Amino acid sequence: MHRRAIVLAFLVMSLATLAASCQGNSAAPPTQSAPLIVSAAADLVYAFTDLGRAFEQETGIPVVFNFGSTGQLAQQIEQGAPVDLFAAANISYIQELAQQGLVLPDTVAPYGRGRITLWTRTDSPLRIDSIDDLAQPAVRRIAIANPDHAPYGIAAREALQSAGLWDALQPKLILGENVRQTLQYAETGNVDVAIVALSLSLHEEGRWTLVPQELHDPIDQALAVVAGSRNEAAARAFAAFVNGPVGRPIMRKYGFILPGEEVAP
């Protein structure tokens, strides 16, 4: 009897331990507590950093950003990169991914229209007041994002073509991998002028002039949740946050024309 009592006590303790373990597992943090992975165009580096901070404060969900050229980020998603949400600098990249079934169609949404500027350092002796000023002999190097995969580089090329300067300025052009690197070339003095995003120009100290929007196709930007995301609910929440009452003022602060608003003069 004594041995049976010991065995019975052992079984009771084991069952209690198992029950406690199961309860512990059921109380584990939900999957949405894992960081939300957002691939975002380089023009969003400041706007989305602010958005991510506000989103985490409101929801408790941390956001990890991968900023880069839209074309290269889209290629990473095509190759199976673990991304939850993709914010592109041109809606065409989102549409192409949707056609391939790589983003959720019902989550495709525009979030802003970008503008391009001519940016110079504050200590630059150059006065660049219009795109035609890029033809000055004193302007020796001009940086634009690579138009092969960067929407802001495409807009820069279109603007130069519309102004009749593209062919003449070819020897002066330096290509950045993305629009943020393009601005860094000018910040460090490696080029005289950079054609970059207004959203970056508003954040960085320097002189800048808006390029007339009539010189290039609209830079309509959009986002979507990536198909197969492990944090789909959180990704949908962040997408709604960008276009919501907290996100829209932040995007407007960085110069974006928001969905449903008129283009600024």
Side-chain angles (χ1 to χ4, degrees), residues 118 120 126-142 160 163 165 169 172 192-193 195 209-211 215:
L118 308 171
T120 58
L126 298 171
R127 301 301 301 181
I128 306 297
D129 298 318
S130 74
I131 197 167
D132 293 328
D133 291 336
L134 297 179
Q136 298 176 36
V139 178
R140 296 171 300 169
R141 294 182 299 274
I142 304 165
L160 292 173
L165 298 172
L169 294 182
K172 298 182 178 183
D192 302 305
V193 186
I195 303 180
T209 300
L210 270 176
V211 174
L215 294 181

Side-chain angles (χ1 to χ4, degrees), residues 142-147 153 156-157 160 166 173-176 178 182 194-195:
I142 304 165
I144 69 171
N146 191 329
R157 180 177 62 189
L160 292 173
W166 177 252
L173 294 183
I174 305 296
L175 303 183
N178 55 64
T182 302
I195 303 180

Side-chain angles (χ1 to χ4, degrees), residues 60-254:
I61 303 172
V63 185
V64 175
F65 291 107
N66 174 32
F67 293 107
S69 163
T70 288
Q72 293 177 335
L73 295 175
Q75 188 176 52
Q76 291 172 9
I77 292 172
E78 290 173 338
Q79 295 172 349
V83 177
D84 299 310
L85 183 82
F86 180 34
N90 192 297
I91 192 172
S92 63
Y93 288 88
I94 296 290
Q95 292 169 334
E96 290 174 6
L97 291 175
Q99 291 173 357
Q100 299 176 61
L102 296 177
V103 297
L104 302 180
D106 69 305
T107 66
V108 174
Y111 61 82
R113 173 177 291 182
R115 297 288 303 275
I116 56 174
T117 70
L118 308 171
W119 193 95
T120 58
R121 287 165 48 132
T122 53
D123 61 356
S124 171
L126 298 171
R127 301 301 301 181
I128 306 297
D129 298 318
S130 74
I131 197 167
D132 293 328
D133 291 336
L134 297 179
Q136 298 176 36
V139 178
R140 296 171 300 169
R141 294 182 299 274
I142 304 165
I144 69 171
N146 191 329
D148 287 343
H149 50 73
Y152 277 87
I154 294 173
R157 180 177 62 189
E158 291 173 347
L160 292 173
Q161 290 171 334
S162 297
L165 298 172
W166 177 252
D167 292 334
L169 294 182
Q170 285 295 307
K172 298 182 178 183
L173 294 183
I174 305 296
L175 303 183
E177 280 300 297
N178 55 64
V179 72
R180 180 70 186 96
Q181 185 183 73
T182 302
L183 177 58
Q184 289 173 338
Y185 286 161
E187 289 175 323
T188 56
N190 288 307
V191 301
D192 302 305
V193 186
I195 303 180
V196 296
L198 174 60
S199 59
L200 301 181
S201 301
L202 287 169
H203 187 276
E204 298 293 342
E205 182 179 352
R207 296 197 302 261
W208 54 269
T209 300
L210 270 176
V211 174
Q213 57 197 4
E214 296 80 12
L215 294 181
H216 60 85
D217 289 338
I219 311 173
D220 288 329
Q221 309 191 195
L223 52 73
V225 176
V226 177
S229 164
R230 296 183 178 181
N231 283 332
E232 181 181 331
R236 286 178 178 272
F238 186 81
F241 190 81
V242 172
N243 280 323
V246 176
R248 285 173 68 90
I250 292 176
M251 295 300 290
R252 190 181 296 113
K253 169 186 172 183
Y254 287 98

